[in-house]
Amino acid sequence: MPKGIAVHEGYVYLADAGAHCIWVFSTSGCFQKIIGRHGSEPGRFRTPTGVATANGRLYVTEYGGERLQARRCMHIRRHHEFACIWQSQSM
């Protein structure tokens, strides 16, 4: 269930709320990798609904996790490389 999309330096990032992950494609449409999976730890997602890029960083917002995570674009190798930079007080 695609919910958000962002493009940065030849890569397309697609937030998939149903699969709880971010799909990465080249701008020519070739699959590159999947980032994350379901969970509440850094680098895992609970219904990601938005992605954005700025200053070489990938930002991911979550509906289910009520938080914002960030990491350098396309240099993501491990889930723990994400940092939670905001989380709802209700969590």
Side-chain angles (χ1 to χ4, degrees), residues 7-11 13 27 53 56 73-75:
V7 178
H8 178 75
E9 294 182 359
Y11 295 99
Y13 300 88
T27 52
T53 59
C73 290
M74 206 42 204
H75 299 285

Side-chain angles (χ1 to χ4, degrees), residues 21-36:
C21 67
I22 307 301
W23 294 80
V24 183
F25 298 89
S26 67
T27 52
S28 62
C30 295
F31 171 76
Q32 299 295 307
K33 67 160 96 179
I34 294 174
I35 301 170

Side-chain angles (χ1 to χ4, degrees), residues 9 14 17 24 68 86:
E9 294 182 359
L14 178 67
V24 183
L68 172 66
W86 179 85

